[in-house]
Amino acid sequence: MPHFVEALQQEAADAIARMQETALRARHAHARAELMRHMLTTARKVKHKPKAEAVETVVREWMDAWNLARSDWPHIAREMEAFTEAFHDYANDPSDAHDERLRETCAALDIVLEKEGTSISDQMAFRSQCAHRWWELVKPVPDDLPGRKPRPSVPELESGKAFWEASCADFCR
C-alpha cells in the first residue's frame, strides 16, 4: 500500500491527466462548434443573395479570418467553397438532406486540413480573429505556425505554454 504522500501525489497526477485530456477535447469541440455557429450566422446574412455571390462572400471572409491566401491554399479553398455552399443551402432550407450535406462537407474540410497538419479547431484557435482566449491557454499557438499573423483581438500568452505547464510567474504579473 502506498504511503499517504505518494498516494496523494498519484491521485493528483491522475486528476491532472484527466483534466488535460478533457480540456483538449473541450477546446477541440468548442472551436469546431464556434466555426459552425459563425458559418451559419454568416450564411444566413447572405442567404438571399445569388448562391455564387453568397458563397464567394463567405469563403473570402473565412479565408481572410484564417489568414490563408486563396492562391496559396487552393485545395483548402475548394473544400471551403463546398462547405460554404452546404451552409448556404442549409440557411435557405434547414432540412435533413442539407444537414447531411453539411456533415459531408465538414468531413471533407477536416480531411484536407489534416493533410496540412491542422484541423478546423486549430484553424479557429490559432488563426481566427474570433478565437476565444481560453483555447490558447489549453493549447498555445505554435511559434512556427506558417503564415502566422498578429491577432490584436486575441492577446498572446507570454509564456507560450498551456496553463498546466506554466508557472505562476508566467500568468501572475
Side-chain angles (χ1 to χ4, degrees), residues 63-110:
M63 295 292 287
D64 288 348
W66 284 359
N67 294 314
L68 297 175
R70 239 180 166 157
S71 58
D72 295 339
W73 304 96
H75 53 301
I76 294 174
R78 278 191 300 276
E79 293 304 332
M80 184 57 99
E81 286 169 7
F83 184 58
T84 304
E85 287 174 4
F87 267 100
H88 182 270
D89 292 344
Y90 185 85
N92 281 287
D93 176 21
S95 65
D96 289 347
H98 288 142
D99 180 68
E100 184 59 33
R101 183 72 183 133
L102 277 178
R103 294 169 191 271
E104 291 167 2
T105 58
C106 183
L109 182 59
D110 276 332

Side-chain angles (χ1 to χ4, degrees), residues 3 7 24 28 46 49 52 55 59 68 79 84-85 87 93 96 103 117-118 135 150:
H3 290 191
L24 288 166
H28 173 72
V46 296
K49 291 184 177 186
V55 168
V59 170
L68 297 175
E79 293 304 332
T84 304
E85 287 174 4
F87 267 100
D93 176 21
D96 289 347
R103 294 169 191 271
T118 188
W135 297 343

Side-chain angles (χ1 to χ4, degrees), residues 9-124:
Q9 291 295 313
Q10 187 58 54
E11 180 184 349
D14 293 345
I16 290 169
R18 286 191 307 275
M19 178 270 308
Q20 290 171 347
E21 182 181 313
T22 300
L24 288 166
R25 275 197 329 267
R27 174 201 172 270
H28 173 72
H30 187 234
R32 286 176 63 83
E34 279 296 283
L35 174 63
M36 303 315 150
R37 185 180 68 76
H38 281 291
M39 287 295 294
L40 186 56
T41 299
T42 307
R44 284 178 174 154
K45 281 193 256 181
V46 296
K47 75 179 191 174
H48 301 298
K49 291 184 177 186
K51 188 173 184 174
E53 181 184 340
V55 168
E56 176 57 29
T57 299
V58 175
V59 170
R60 184 177 54 252
E61 184 175 315
W62 279 104
M63 295 292 287
D64 288 348
W66 284 359
N67 294 314
L68 297 175
R70 239 180 166 157
S71 58
D72 295 339
W73 304 96
H75 53 301
I76 294 174
R78 278 191 300 276
E79 293 304 332
M80 184 57 99
E81 286 169 7
F83 184 58
T84 304
E85 287 174 4
F87 267 100
H88 182 270
D89 292 344
Y90 185 85
N92 281 287
D93 176 21
S95 65
D96 289 347
H98 288 142
D99 180 68
E100 184 59 33
R101 183 72 183 133
L102 277 178
R103 294 169 191 271
E104 291 167 2
T105 58
C106 183
L109 182 59
D110 276 332
I111 290 167
V112 75
L113 289 171
E114 186 177 314
K115 287 178 182 175
E116 293 297 332
T118 188
S119 65
I120 286 172
S121 58
D122 282 351
Q123 286 300 114
M124 283 298 291

Side-chain angles (χ1 to χ4, degrees), residues 143-159:
D143 290 333
D144 61 349
L145 183 71
R148 182 179 182 175
K149 294 182 181 175
R151 299 176 302 161
S153 62
V154 185
E156 291 191 27
L157 296 176
E158 288 184 32
S159 70

